[in-house]
Amino acid sequence: MPISTMDFIDRIKQISEQISKLREQIQTEEATKNAFVMPLLSALGYDVFNPTEVCPEYTADAIGLKGEKVDYAILVDGKPVILFECKWCGYELDHPKHGSQLYRYLSSTDAVFGILTNGIIYRFYTDLEKPNAMDSKPFFEFNMQDIQESNVAELKRFSKSVFNSNELKSTASNLMYTKEIKRIMSEQLLEPSPEFVKFFVSQVYSGKIMSGVIDKFTKITKDSLNQLISDRITDTLRSVLEREVEDRSEHISRWAG
């Protein structure tokens, strides 16, 4: 039976609270898996005590390497579909060796998705760039200490009741490109590049576009974009407040009537 969105969010928030309470006391990878990772797998609807569904220490030998084991494999019909490579919650995930481990495991199994985690940050990988080779960048990242409802909805796609490998592959592509475009836009808002500024200049300026013009319009472009965002936020807040006032007035009118 599918997990309702609100129930799922509540369970994720409970795990987040658990992390806040225990994070400083967790000193090993095994403790991280038991306290943080297994509860998330359970929240996703997987039976962590059934090795035919969640297999710990799953063999993922690469060519020329024996004894390679990934921390968890989610199995469907006996085949791995998602691999979890776990680290201690005190480790940063950016170290190259962590990603290279997961790369080997994904390349040597039938799994389509790989997740690198320290129990707090979950980075989701697949093979969009080259078949059977893990992408260099995750298509999705979930932070248990910074829960956003839109990200919870994406995480829920990996739950047992709705998991669909083909649909998720398409979603992964959209998420990866969306993430990269948002990153680029964030960078441009802070420090617009000449190419970025030139696009706007070409739309509003009829003179010859020289370097001095680009210099002048760099600040104008930056200020304009930030003002646009500020105006949108103000409009949204105003709309919310107006709806609240209307709702309160209606409630008072019904009570008075």
Side-chain angles (χ1 to χ4, degrees):
M1 181 178 178
I3 311 167
S4 74
T5 300
M6 290 309 300
D7 285 346
F8 186 64
I9 291 175
D10 288 342
R11 294 191 68 177
I12 295 301
K13 287 180 177 178
Q14 288 172 3
I15 299 170
S16 179
E17 291 171 1
Q18 179 88 339
I19 290 171
S20 297
K21 292 176 183 176
L22 298 180
R23 184 173 183 175
E24 297 303 318
Q25 283 72 51
I26 301 295
Q27 297 299 318
T28 66
E29 180 182 307
E30 284 302 313
T32 299
K33 289 191 286 188
N34 289 338
F36 302 158
V37 180
M38 288 178 69
L40 178 63
L41 290 173
S42 293
L44 289 167
Y46 297 104
D47 184 353
V48 296
F49 300 111
N50 180 355
T52 66
E53 186 167 297
V54 179
C55 182
E57 295 295 302
Y58 183 81
T59 299
D61 290 336
I63 297 175
L65 293 171
K66 296 295 181 183
E68 294 272 87
K69 295 182 183 297
V70 66
D71 291 297
Y72 297 109
I74 304 298
L75 306 179
V76 174
D77 297 327
K79 294 183 178 180
V81 292
I82 310 174
L83 303 181
F84 280 77
E85 177 60 17
C86 307
K87 302 301 173 186
W88 169 50
C89 61
Y91 280 152
E92 296 292 333
L93 297 180
D94 293 327
H95 196 292
K97 73 175 183 180
H98 301 330
S100 63
Q101 282 181 300
L102 187 57
Y103 181 97
R104 293 199 308 273
Y105 300 150
L106 272 179
S107 300
S108 59
T109 68
D110 295 325
V112 181
F113 299 99
I115 300 173
L116 178 64
T117 182
N118 59 7
I120 300 168
I121 305 294
Y122 288 80
R123 291 180 178 172
F124 292 69
Y125 295 85
T126 188
D127 58 351
L128 298 172
E129 297 169 351
K130 184 179 178 182
N132 302 316
M134 189 181 89
D135 298 330
S136 58
K137 296 179 180 179
F139 65 85
F140 175 55
E141 181 170 304
F142 190 86
N143 187 341
M144 293 294 297
Q145 298 277 261
D146 182 20
I147 297 173
Q148 299 173 22
E149 287 197 15
S150 60
N151 283 346
V152 172
E154 297 301 338
L155 178 65
K156 190 171 181 286
R157 293 175 184 270
F158 286 85
S159 60
K160 179 182 176 181
S161 59
V162 298
F163 181 82
N164 183 302
S165 181
N166 293 329
E167 288 182 4
L168 269 175
K169 200 71 176 290
S170 176
T171 299
S173 177
N174 292 339
L175 284 173
M176 174 174 280
Y177 296 128
T178 299
K179 178 169 68 73
E180 288 301 299
I181 290 173
K182 286 168 66 177
R183 177 187 61 79
I184 293 169
M185 291 298 294
S186 295
E187 292 174 353
Q188 295 299 328
L189 285 171
L190 292 173
E191 201 64 49
S193 68
E195 294 79 10
F196 188 74
V197 174
K198 190 173 182 179
F199 168 77
F200 292 102
V201 173
S202 67
Q203 305 297 309
V204 300
Y205 182 74
S206 59
K208 192 171 183 179
I209 302 176
M210 308 292 285
S211 60
V213 174
I214 295 295
D215 291 341
K216 175 185 176 181
F217 272 90
T218 295
K219 185 176 187 309
I220 294 174
T221 301
K222 182 177 180 179
D223 291 346
S224 298
L225 291 172
N226 281 286
Q227 185 62 53
L228 174 63
I229 293 172
S230 178
D231 290 346
R232 289 292 180 88
I233 292 172
T234 300
D235 289 344
T236 300
L237 289 174
R238 185 184 297 116
S239 296
V240 171
L241 289 173
E242 287 175 353
R243 283 199 299 270
E244 287 183 352
V245 170
E246 289 176 3
D247 291 344
R248 192 175 297 115
S249 297
E250 288 179 8
H251 178 74
I252 293 172
S253 297
R254 287 196 299 268
W255 181 78

